[in-house]
Amino acid sequence: MEDSYVLQLLEPKFKEFHLCFCGFAQCEPLHSYGPASRPNYIVHYIMDGKGIYQVGEKKYKLSKGQGFLIEPEELTFYQADQEEPWSYLWVGVGGTGAKKFIQDIGLNSQQRIFRCADGEKLNEIVMDMMKHTRSTVSDLYYLQGKLYELFSVLASDVVIEELMEENKENRYIQEAVTYIRNHYAAGLTVEELAGYLGVNRSYLYTLFKNKLQLSPKEFLTKFRISRAREQLILTEESVENIAVACGYHSTLVFTKNFKQETGMTPTEFRKTNRQAAKDRLLMNQKSPGTGKN
């Protein structure tokens, strides 16, 4: 679980570069997100504590003062430390020029990890952003200005780091992750994945456990449920349609797997998270700076 405060914009005004969402979270021990892929660039910054960030087989151990980049449609996983769980803020950006803006602060697919000494300023900017929850022209212009201010801080203070726990590329894992991302909705099975890679299930299991600490079946399930969580929050699609879109032929199996992963049924999750989002936005309007950090 995590105690989080979130601002999400569904209709950006600026096409080249714009804020999609931002937030702050205080995580409980071992709270994790993913494996999942997102449609936007997302920059996370760690205000306190420790955790891990994983992209494919690359794993980074990160702590206070560091940050990490998530690229669009990149399969990632991150988890809070058991003893010192992290709190972090994040900013998601999009637009036709988003890639260039990300590169301007020194980040790209080969350089995902950074350090920034001015974390308090970043926190101040994000908390200020979350005060402006209305989609008025005035608020949208204000948020655009705060976004540029945040990137100004990053551009001046970011120190690029590449602290990989593992840097040996594994062709099978890379291909497996890509294949899952592209075919999970078609009812992909572990047998089909092993057949595509040309390896037996036992070897595939060993690879996944050694590199990702999950079995192929666990990884595939977590990825599907992460996709389902996003669709339940962001769309009005029925649970049945979301189940099919995430590769489940049976709504009952989908609901069972979803509850095992989240502790709630899909319907309960949608209702709880939408109400929580409304409550957080109302809280931010009243006192956005009182969140844990």
Side-chain angles (χ1 to χ4, degrees), residues 202-219:
S202 177
Y203 180 62
L204 184 64
Y205 177 89
T206 300
L207 277 177
F208 267 73
K209 291 294 285 187
N210 287 345
K211 297 295 183 181
L212 304 177
Q213 290 76 57
L214 295 169
S215 71
K217 183 177 180 180
E218 290 170 336
F219 186 95

Side-chain angles (χ1 to χ4, degrees), residues 25-38:
Q26 171 67 61
C27 298
E28 293 186 358
L30 298 179
H31 172 77
S32 64
Y33 188 88
S37 60
R38 311 289 290 279

Side-chain angles (χ1 to χ4, degrees), residues 93-107:
V93 298
T96 57
K99 181 176 182 179
K100 179 181 180 300
F101 281 87
I102 290 292
Q103 291 174 341
D104 281 346
I105 61 174
L107 300 177

